[in-house]
PDB file of all heavy atoms in Angstrom:
ATOM      1  N   ARG D 357      -8.824   9.200  11.490  1.00  0.00           N
ATOM      2  CA  ARG D 357     -10.141   9.739  11.839  1.00  0.00           C
ATOM      3  C   ARG D 357     -10.288  11.190  11.369  1.00  0.00           C
ATOM      4  O   ARG D 357     -11.369  11.603  10.940  1.00  0.00           O
ATOM      5  CB  ARG D 357     -10.398   9.597  13.326  1.00  0.00           C
ATOM      6  CG  ARG D 357     -10.745   8.143  13.702  1.00  0.00           C
ATOM      7  CD  ARG D 357     -11.174   8.011  15.139  1.00  0.00           C
ATOM      8  NE  ARG D 357     -10.064   8.081  16.070  1.00  0.00           N
ATOM      9  CZ  ARG D 357      -9.249   7.074  16.351  1.00  0.00           C
ATOM     10  NH1 ARG D 357      -9.420   5.899  15.793  1.00  0.00           N
ATOM     11  NH2 ARG D 357      -8.270   7.220  17.211  1.00  0.00           N
ATOM     12  N   ALA D 358      -9.212  11.959  11.402  1.00  0.00           N
ATOM     13  CA  ALA D 358      -9.259  13.325  10.885  1.00  0.00           C
ATOM     14  C   ALA D 358      -9.507  13.313   9.374  1.00  0.00           C
ATOM     15  O   ALA D 358     -10.279  14.129   8.849  1.00  0.00           O
ATOM     16  CB  ALA D 358      -7.962  14.073  11.212  1.00  0.00           C
ATOM     17  N   ASP D 359      -8.882  12.374   8.672  1.00  0.00           N
ATOM     18  CA  ASP D 359      -9.111  12.250   7.235  1.00  0.00           C
ATOM     19  C   ASP D 359     -10.549  11.814   6.947  1.00  0.00           C
ATOM     20  O   ASP D 359     -11.150  12.250   5.962  1.00  0.00           O
ATOM     21  CB  ASP D 359      -8.131  11.263   6.606  1.00  0.00           C
ATOM     22  CG  ASP D 359      -6.745  11.845   6.430  1.00  0.00           C
ATOM     23  OD1 ASP D 359      -6.581  13.075   6.564  1.00  0.00           O
ATOM     24  OD2 ASP D 359      -5.811  11.062   6.150  1.00  0.00           O
ATOM     25  N   LEU D 360     -11.111  10.979   7.801  1.00  0.00           N
ATOM     26  CA  LEU D 360     -12.505  10.581   7.637  1.00  0.00           C
ATOM     27  C   LEU D 360     -13.422  11.798   7.765  1.00  0.00           C
ATOM     28  O   LEU D 360     -14.353  11.964   6.977  1.00  0.00           O
ATOM     29  CB  LEU D 360     -12.886   9.503   8.659  1.00  0.00           C
ATOM     30  CG  LEU D 360     -14.348   9.046   8.626  1.00  0.00           C
ATOM     31  CD1 LEU D 360     -14.727   8.485   7.268  1.00  0.00           C
ATOM     32  CD2 LEU D 360     -14.599   8.030   9.736  1.00  0.00           C
ATOM     33  N   VAL D 361     -13.151  12.663   8.722  1.00  0.00           N
ATOM     34  CA  VAL D 361     -13.949  13.887   8.886  1.00  0.00           C
ATOM     35  C   VAL D 361     -13.862  14.736   7.612  1.00  0.00           C
ATOM     36  O   VAL D 361     -14.872  15.224   7.101  1.00  0.00           O
ATOM     37  CB  VAL D 361     -13.502  14.684  10.130  1.00  0.00           C
ATOM     38  CG1 VAL D 361     -14.123  16.072  10.152  1.00  0.00           C
ATOM     39  CG2 VAL D 361     -13.831  13.923  11.399  1.00  0.00           C
ATOM     40  N   LYS D 362     -12.652  14.890   7.069  1.00  0.00           N
ATOM     41  CA  LYS D 362     -12.477  15.660   5.832  1.00  0.00           C
ATOM     42  C   LYS D 362     -13.245  15.024   4.682  1.00  0.00           C
ATOM     43  O   LYS D 362     -13.883  15.722   3.887  1.00  0.00           O
ATOM     44  CB  LYS D 362     -10.995  15.748   5.455  1.00  0.00           C
ATOM     45  CG  LYS D 362     -10.164  16.623   6.356  1.00  0.00           C
ATOM     46  CD  LYS D 362      -8.732  16.603   5.851  1.00  0.00           C
ATOM     47  CE  LYS D 362      -7.754  16.989   6.920  1.00  0.00           C
ATOM     48  NZ  LYS D 362      -6.375  16.777   6.500  1.00  0.00           N
ATOM     49  N   ALA D 363     -13.179  13.714   4.599  1.00  0.00           N
ATOM     50  CA  ALA D 363     -13.879  13.000   3.522  1.00  0.00           C
ATOM     51  C   ALA D 363     -15.385  13.181   3.637  1.00  0.00           C
ATOM     52  O   ALA D 363     -16.071  13.408   2.633  1.00  0.00           O
ATOM     53  CB  ALA D 363     -13.519  11.516   3.551  1.00  0.00           C
ATOM     54  N   GLU D 364     -15.907  13.099   4.838  1.00  0.00           N
ATOM     55  CA  GLU D 364     -17.345  13.278   5.041  1.00  0.00           C
ATOM     56  C   GLU D 364     -17.769  14.698   4.661  1.00  0.00           C
ATOM     57  O   GLU D 364     -18.830  14.893   4.068  1.00  0.00           O
ATOM     58  CB  GLU D 364     -17.732  12.976   6.491  1.00  0.00           C
ATOM     59  CG  GLU D 364     -17.511  11.534   6.907  1.00  0.00           C
ATOM     60  CD  GLU D 364     -18.432  10.514   6.233  1.00  0.00           C
ATOM     61  OE1 GLU D 364     -19.172  10.854   5.271  1.00  0.00           O
ATOM     62  OE2 GLU D 364     -18.418   9.370   6.656  1.00  0.00           O
ATOM     63  N   GLN D 365     -16.934  15.683   4.982  1.00  0.00           N
ATOM     64  CA  GLN D 365     -17.234  17.072   4.602  1.00  0.00           C
ATOM     65  C   GLN D 365     -17.241  17.212   3.086  1.00  0.00           C
ATOM     66  O   GLN D 365     -18.117  17.862   2.509  1.00  0.00           O
ATOM     67  CB  GLN D 365     -16.218  18.027   5.226  1.00  0.00           C
ATOM     68  CG  GLN D 365     -16.364  18.165   6.723  1.00  0.00           C
ATOM     69  CD  GLN D 365     -15.210  18.928   7.364  1.00  0.00           C
ATOM     70  OE1 GLN D 365     -14.129  19.062   6.794  1.00  0.00           O
ATOM     71  NE2 GLN D 365     -15.449  19.416   8.569  1.00  0.00           N
ATOM     72  N   GLU D 366     -16.262  16.591   2.425  1.00  0.00           N
ATOM     73  CA  GLU D 366     -16.193  16.651   0.964  1.00  0.00           C
ATOM     74  C   GLU D 366     -17.438  16.024   0.344  1.00  0.00           C
ATOM     75  O   GLU D 366     -18.046  16.599  -0.567  1.00  0.00           O
ATOM     76  CB  GLU D 366     -14.939  15.923   0.472  1.00  0.00           C
ATOM     77  CG  GLU D 366     -14.812  15.915  -1.036  1.00  0.00           C
ATOM     78  CD  GLU D 366     -13.596  15.159  -1.523  1.00  0.00           C
ATOM     79  OE1 GLU D 366     -12.549  15.180  -0.837  1.00  0.00           O
ATOM     80  OE2 GLU D 366     -13.699  14.541  -2.590  1.00  0.00           O
ATOM     81  N   LEU D 367     -17.840  14.877   0.841  1.00  0.00           N
ATOM     82  CA  LEU D 367     -19.034  14.214   0.307  1.00  0.00           C
ATOM     83  C   LEU D 367     -20.281  15.062   0.537  1.00  0.00           C
ATOM     84  O   LEU D 367     -21.132  15.185  -0.356  1.00  0.00           O
ATOM     85  CB  LEU D 367     -19.207  12.826   0.925  1.00  0.00           C
ATOM     86  CG  LEU D 367     -18.224  11.764   0.450  1.00  0.00           C
ATOM     87  CD1 LEU D 367     -18.373  10.497   1.291  1.00  0.00           C
ATOM     88  CD2 LEU D 367     -18.422  11.461  -1.025  1.00  0.00           C
ATOM     89  N   ALA D 368     -20.400  15.641   1.710  1.00  0.00           N
ATOM     90  CA  ALA D 368     -21.564  16.481   2.010  1.00  0.00           C
ATOM     91  C   ALA D 368     -21.610  17.696   1.082  1.00  0.00           C
ATOM     92  O   ALA D 368     -22.675  18.066   0.580  1.00  0.00           O
ATOM     93  CB  ALA D 368     -21.533  16.919   3.469  1.00  0.00           C
ATOM     94  N   GLU D 369     -20.453  18.311   0.835  1.00  0.00           N
ATOM     95  CA  GLU D 369     -20.405  19.472  -0.052  1.00  0.00           C
ATOM     96  C   GLU D 369     -20.791  19.080  -1.474  1.00  0.00           C
ATOM     97  O   GLU D 369     -21.537  19.789  -2.145  1.00  0.00           O
ATOM     98  CB  GLU D 369     -19.008  20.090  -0.037  1.00  0.00           C
ATOM     99  CG  GLU D 369     -18.692  20.798   1.262  1.00  0.00           C
ATOM    100  CD  GLU D 369     -17.217  21.158   1.391  1.00  0.00           C
ATOM    101  OE1 GLU D 369     -16.444  20.947   0.424  1.00  0.00           O
ATOM    102  OE2 GLU D 369     -16.836  21.636   2.469  1.00  0.00           O
ATOM    103  N   ARG D 370     -20.303  17.949  -1.931  1.00  0.00           N
ATOM    104  CA  ARG D 370     -20.620  17.497  -3.286  1.00  0.00           C
ATOM    105  C   ARG D 370     -22.111  17.211  -3.434  1.00  0.00           C
ATOM    106  O   ARG D 370     -22.726  17.546  -4.435  1.00  0.00           O
ATOM    107  CB  ARG D 370     -19.820  16.247  -3.633  1.00  0.00           C
ATOM    108  CG  ARG D 370     -18.360  16.529  -3.831  1.00  0.00           C
ATOM    109  CD  ARG D 370     -17.596  15.245  -4.120  1.00  0.00           C
ATOM    110  NE  ARG D 370     -16.181  15.457  -3.998  1.00  0.00           N
ATOM    111  CZ  ARG D 370     -15.439  16.144  -4.854  1.00  0.00           C
ATOM    112  NH1 ARG D 370     -16.006  16.681  -5.907  1.00  0.00           N
ATOM    113  NH2 ARG D 370     -14.154  16.304  -4.673  1.00  0.00           N
ATOM    114  N   ARG D 371     -22.676  16.575  -2.427  1.00  0.00           N
ATOM    115  CA  ARG D 371     -24.093  16.222  -2.493  1.00  0.00           C
ATOM    116  C   ARG D 371     -24.986  17.454  -2.394  1.00  0.00           C
ATOM    117  O   ARG D 371     -26.105  17.450  -2.894  1.00  0.00           O
ATOM    118  CB  ARG D 371     -24.426  15.220  -1.404  1.00  0.00           C
ATOM    119  CG  ARG D 371     -23.818  13.868  -1.707  1.00  0.00           C
ATOM    120  CD  ARG D 371     -24.083  12.869  -0.621  1.00  0.00           C
ATOM    121  NE  ARG D 371     -23.477  11.590  -0.978  1.00  0.00           N
ATOM    122  CZ  ARG D 371     -22.930  10.767  -0.122  1.00  0.00           C
ATOM    123  NH1 ARG D 371     -22.940  11.059   1.168  1.00  0.00           N
ATOM    124  NH2 ARG D 371     -22.408   9.634  -0.518  1.00  0.00           N
ATOM    125  N   ALA D 372     -24.496  18.506  -1.752  1.00  0.00           N
ATOM    126  CA  ALA D 372     -25.285  19.725  -1.592  1.00  0.00           C
ATOM    127  C   ALA D 372     -25.347  20.541  -2.886  1.00  0.00           C
ATOM    128  O   ALA D 372     -26.285  21.300  -3.087  1.00  0.00           O
ATOM    129  CB  ALA D 372     -24.704  20.584  -0.466  1.00  0.00           C
ATOM    130  N   ARG D 373     -24.360  20.383  -3.732  1.00  0.00           N
ATOM    131  CA  ARG D 373     -24.343  21.122  -4.999  1.00  0.00           C
ATOM    132  C   ARG D 373     -25.399  20.557  -5.944  1.00  0.00           C
ATOM    133  O   ARG D 373     -25.481  19.349  -6.136  1.00  0.00           O
ATOM    134  CB  ARG D 373     -22.975  21.022  -5.669  1.00  0.00           C
ATOM    135  CG  ARG D 373     -21.906  21.811  -4.959  1.00  0.00           C
ATOM    136  CD  ARG D 373     -20.685  21.979  -5.838  1.00  0.00           C
ATOM    137  NE  ARG D 373     -20.007  20.738  -6.105  1.00  0.00           N
ATOM    138  CZ  ARG D 373     -18.847  20.376  -5.542  1.00  0.00           C
ATOM    139  NH1 ARG D 373     -18.259  21.165  -4.681  1.00  0.00           N
ATOM    140  NH2 ARG D 373     -18.286  19.243  -5.857  1.00  0.00           N
ATOM    141  N   LYS D 374     -26.183  21.411  -6.491  1.00  0.00           N
ATOM    142  CA  LYS D 374     -27.171  21.034  -7.499  1.00  0.00           C
ATOM    143  C   LYS D 374     -28.049  19.875  -7.044  1.00  0.00           C
ATOM    144  O   LYS D 374     -28.430  19.025  -7.834  1.00  0.00           O
ATOM    145  CB  LYS D 374     -26.489  20.675  -8.814  1.00  0.00           C
ATOM    146  CG  LYS D 374     -25.726  21.841  -9.424  1.00  0.00           C
ATOM    147  CD  LYS D 374     -25.118  21.459 -10.727  1.00  0.00           C
ATOM    148  CE  LYS D 374     -24.283  22.607 -11.271  1.00  0.00           C
ATOM    149  NZ  LYS D 374     -23.599  22.259 -12.486  1.00  0.00           N
ATOM    150  N   GLY D 375     -28.320  19.783  -5.767  1.00  0.00           N
ATOM    151  CA  GLY D 375     -29.215  18.740  -5.293  1.00  0.00           C
ATOM    152  C   GLY D 375     -28.582  17.372  -5.166  1.00  0.00           C
ATOM    153  O   GLY D 375     -29.257  16.397  -4.883  1.00  0.00           O
ATOM    154  N   GLY D 376     -27.297  17.271  -5.370  1.00  0.00           N
ATOM    155  CA  GLY D 376     -26.632  15.981  -5.254  1.00  0.00           C
ATOM    156  C   GLY D 376     -26.912  15.088  -6.443  1.00  0.00           C
ATOM    157  O   GLY D 376     -27.609  15.447  -7.379  1.00  0.00           O
ATOM    158  N   ARG D 377     -26.363  13.930  -6.413  1.00  0.00           N
ATOM    159  CA  ARG D 377     -26.537  12.963  -7.490  1.00  0.00           C
ATOM    160  C   ARG D 377     -27.841  12.224  -7.273  1.00  0.00           C
ATOM    161  O   ARG D 377     -28.086  11.713  -6.187  1.00  0.00           O
ATOM    162  CB  ARG D 377     -25.360  12.001  -7.490  1.00  0.00           C
ATOM    163  CG  ARG D 377     -25.472  10.947  -8.558  1.00  0.00           C
ATOM    164  CD  ARG D 377     -24.252  10.085  -8.526  1.00  0.00           C
ATOM    165  NE  ARG D 377     -23.646  10.181  -9.833  1.00  0.00           N
ATOM    166  CZ  ARG D 377     -22.487   9.669 -10.141  1.00  0.00           C
ATOM    167  NH1 ARG D 377     -21.774   9.062  -9.256  1.00  0.00           N
ATOM    168  NH2 ARG D 377     -22.017   9.778 -11.348  1.00  0.00           N
ATOM    169  N   PRO D 378     -28.691  12.126  -8.295  1.00  0.00           N
ATOM    170  CA  PRO D 378     -29.951  11.406  -8.101  1.00  0.00           C
ATOM    171  C   PRO D 378     -29.721   9.914  -7.908  1.00  0.00           C
ATOM    172  O   PRO D 378     -28.759   9.352  -8.430  1.00  0.00           O
ATOM    173  CB  PRO D 378     -30.701  11.676  -9.406  1.00  0.00           C
ATOM    174  CG  PRO D 378     -29.672  12.076 -10.401  1.00  0.00           C
ATOM    175  CD  PRO D 378     -28.527  12.660  -9.622  1.00  0.00           C
ATOM    176  N   LYS D 379     -30.593   9.292  -7.135  1.00  0.00           N
ATOM    177  CA  LYS D 379     -30.499   7.855  -6.900  1.00  0.00           C
ATOM    178  C   LYS D 379     -30.793   7.125  -8.196  1.00  0.00           C
ATOM    179  O   LYS D 379     -31.710   7.480  -8.932  1.00  0.00           O
ATOM    180  CB  LYS D 379     -31.484   7.429  -5.818  1.00  0.00           C
ATOM    181  CG  LYS D 379     -31.337   5.997  -5.419  1.00  0.00           C
ATOM    182  CD  LYS D 379     -32.178   5.654  -4.211  1.00  0.00           C
ATOM    183  CE  LYS D 379     -31.922   4.208  -3.820  1.00  0.00           C
ATOM    184  NZ  LYS D 379     -32.571   3.868  -2.592  1.00  0.00           N
TER     185      LYS D 379
END
Side-chain angles (χ1 to χ4, degrees):
R357 284 187 284 280
D359 284 347
L360 177 59
V361 169
K362 289 180 202 171
E364 296 292 10
Q365 290 170 341
E366 179 182 326
L367 287 172
E369 289 168 5
R370 289 178 194 288
R371 289 178 180 144
R373 289 195 294 255
K374 298 182 184 176
R377 179 178 239 173
K379 186 172 183 173

